[in-house]
Amino acid sequence: MKFYQLSPKQRRSILEQEGIELTEIDSDILNKLDQLSENVVSGMYLPVGVVQNLVVNHKKYIVPMVTEEPSVVAAANHAAKIFAQNGGSVSVSQRDGIYGQIVMKITSDFNLKDLKKEIPNLIKKVNIKFSSLVKHGGGLQSIEMVKKDARQFNEDGELLFVKVLVDPAAAMGANKVNSILEFLKDTLLSFPEVQEKLFAILSNYPSQLTTAKVELDPDTVGGMEVAKRICLLSAIAEDDIYRAVTNNKGIMNGVDGVLLATGQDFRAIEAAVGVFASRSGKYRSLSQWRIKNDKLIGELTLPMAIGVVGGSIKARNDVQQSFDILGQDITVGELANVITTIGLANNLSAVLAISTVGIQAGHMRLQARNIVADLDANHIEKNKIVQELVKNKNYTKEFAIQILNELRGNN
């Protein structure tokens, strides 16, 4: 049998015979993980932290975040508290649909004008075939067609590019869009001038845009001078790519944490965000901070192709736990609003730290926690050691052991 055809236990046995030491894992958990991926031999576990009081559109949420970096959760909580003091965020989710693309080879006799006349019929035919999606409020929304000379791709002949927009309702929609594209591709192949399909697949181009906005009293961030410094950092990130990419990484620290917790395709969001940040032709900051009418105003827009049904969401108990925390009745639009607001919160905490004490302090506290993680010490001892490491700004394992010995009265 091939490796992928073996049971997880058999795969583990092969690796162990090669001298690889694998961590112990419950067999039931291992078998469940095997249903989610390929060639499974073990599992990894990440902590689930929460943001306690995120206010979005006058509604309070407890938000789960999956990340190994405690400063990300702490930063989100810190900014969420500031947001709440100022009434929270106002957020709007525009969920028109996600894109799909078909590219086909066509003959020299192909008449684009004639095929475009068939677009209403094609949309109707697809939506009849996928009537269950239509019943849930979704369906194929539009079809656009463009003919291109294949020579620009170092190929003879001509190509037909078909772009579709599909409303996936409450799902992220990748599987449904791909199914629609395959059906539409087969229909197009019935036209005599259409020769063959090159590909038919969804596009992760930015869609389903969500905007979160906050208006803050400068006193809640440390005063007007701090607010002005935040705006200066924002302006620099608009112009300087080195600052922009780090600014955006800080935003995605929080966004990815919630995407992971709620079972989303965070890789698709990351890819779309990269394109969206470059939409002007230059890579820029995703967020903007400015002062208007003596208020510090922050705004963030993100592509947010997510779902609250579909995929593995209902099949995973850990993801369902996250929805229990958020509220099982949360809509896909509300979840998009929450995630984007978390991104803005993490952004505020980062630029606020840079504008005041510097961000390194939080990172070094994380370093201190990592140093003591594998010490043979109890929870109280570890907390005291972390405090001493930070106080003395000495982040070495040797100093941590010295403190532990002093706590225990050892020489």
Side-chain angles (χ1 to χ4, degrees), residues 367-377 382 397 400-401 404:
Q367 174 68 7
R369 292 179 61 165
N370 288 337
I371 288 171
V372 305
D374 60 349
L375 285 181
D376 186 14
K382 287 183 177 181
K397 189 67 168 288
I401 294 172
L404 178 60

Side-chain angles (χ1 to χ4, degrees), residues 1 27 49 57 59 81 84 103 107 111 160 176 196 232 258 269 274 277 287 308 311 328 331 354 359:
M1 293 177 70
S27 60
N57 295 336
K59 185 175 179 178
K81 184 177 180 181
V103 175
T107 69
N111 190 312
L160 174 66
K176 188 63 70 176
E196 64 175 288
L232 175 59
V258 189
I269 302 295
S287 62
V308 294
Q328 283 286 355
T331 66
I354 296 170
I359 205 161

Side-chain angles (χ1 to χ4, degrees), residues 214-232:
V214 292
E215 293 189 11
L216 310 178
D217 183 337
D219 288 341
T220 60
V221 298
M224 183 59 78
E225 289 305 311
V226 174
K228 289 180 178 178
R229 185 68 64 85
I230 290 171
C231 293
L232 175 59

Side-chain angles (χ1 to χ4, degrees), residues 94-393:
Q94 176 189 334
R95 292 188 57 80
D96 295 333
I98 63 173
Y99 296 107
Q101 190 178 35
I102 304 172
V103 175
M104 313 190 83
K105 286 187 175 183
I106 52 179
T107 69
S108 57
D109 296 327
F110 176 81
N111 190 312
L112 180 59
K113 189 175 181 179
D114 287 345
L115 185 56
K116 281 186 173 180
K117 294 177 182 177
E118 295 296 319
I119 287 178
N121 290 330
L122 291 171
I123 293 174
K124 183 178 180 180
K125 191 172 184 179
V126 168
N127 284 334
I128 291 173
K129 172 69 175 178
F130 296 90
S131 59
S132 61
L133 178 60
V134 175
K135 289 178 182 177
H136 286 91
L140 177 59
Q141 303 297 301
S142 65
I143 299 175
E144 296 178 26
M145 298 179 180
V146 177
K147 187 169 67 171
K148 294 186 179 183
D149 191 332
R151 284 178 294 183
Q152 64 180 297
F153 308 109
N154 299 316
E155 184 75 22
D156 293 331
E158 293 181 321
L159 300 175
L160 174 66
F161 280 67
V162 181
K163 183 177 74 174
V164 306
L165 183 68
V166 177
D167 182 346
M172 183 271 179
N175 292 333
K176 188 63 70 176
V177 170
N178 286 333
S179 296
I180 287 173
L181 292 172
E182 285 297 316
F183 177 78
L184 188 57
K185 172 264 299 182
D186 290 339
T187 304
L188 290 172
L189 283 172
S190 66
F191 291 85
E193 298 86 4
V194 178
Q195 290 181 306
E196 64 175 288
K197 176 202 77 171
L198 288 180
F199 64 85
I201 192 169
L202 89 157
S203 170
N204 293 119
Y205 187 84
S207 65
Q208 311 284 60
L209 300 179
T210 300
T211 299
K213 183 178 179 180
V214 292
E215 293 189 11
L216 310 178
D217 183 337
D219 288 341
T220 60
V221 298
M224 183 59 78
E225 289 305 311
V226 174
K228 289 180 178 178
R229 185 68 64 85
I230 290 171
C231 293
L232 175 59
L233 281 171
S234 179
I236 291 172
E238 280 285 299
D239 178 73
D240 183 79
I241 193 170
Y242 293 92
R243 175 65 204 133
V245 69
T246 308
N247 180 80
N248 293 344
K249 188 268 181 182
I251 291 170
M252 298 310 293
N253 276 342
V255 170
D256 283 345
V258 189
L259 291 173
L260 278 167
T262 55
Q264 310 299 330
D265 185 351
F266 68 94
R267 301 161 300 278
I269 302 295
E270 287 275 4
V273 161
V275 173
F276 193 67
S278 304
R279 65 194 183 279
S280 67
K282 178 180 178 179
Y283 186 92
R284 299 179 185 275
S285 167
L286 292 161
S287 62
Q288 296 83 40
W289 293 91
R290 64 190 187 279
I291 293 173
K292 184 177 181 181
N293 299 327
D294 295 324
K295 294 285 189 181
L296 176 62
I297 298 174
E299 188 170 326
L300 172 66
T301 299
L302 293 175
M304 199 53 59
I306 60 170
V308 294
V309 298
S312 63
I313 289 175
K314 295 297 183 183
R316 290 175 53 186
N317 291 334
D318 52 354
V319 171
Q320 282 305 297
Q321 173 185 259
S322 294
F323 279 97
D324 285 340
I325 294 170
L326 281 161
Q328 283 286 355
D329 61 341
I330 192 169
T331 66
V332 66
E334 288 174 329
L335 181 57
N337 294 339
V338 165
I339 296 172
T340 305
T341 300
I342 285 289
L344 189 60
N346 276 94
N347 183 230
L348 175 63
S349 283
V351 294
L352 184 57
I354 296 170
S355 302
T356 52
V357 298
I359 205 161
Q360 188 64 6
H363 284 173
M364 294 318 294
R365 178 170 286 276
L366 171 61
Q367 174 68 7
R369 292 179 61 165
N370 288 337
I371 288 171
V372 305
D374 60 349
L375 285 181
D376 186 14
N378 61 42
H379 183 68
I380 295 174
E381 290 172 331
K382 287 183 177 181
N383 282 340
K384 289 181 178 179
I385 294 169
V386 168
Q387 292 172 12
E388 288 299 314
L389 292 176
V390 174
K391 178 181 176 182
N392 290 274
K393 296 182 179 180

Side-chain angles (χ1 to χ4, degrees), residues 48-61:
V48 179
V50 296
V51 179
Q52 290 180 283
N53 185 25
L54 189 78
V55 179
V56 182
N57 295 336
H58 307 293
K59 185 175 179 178
K60 293 182 180 180
Y61 296 90

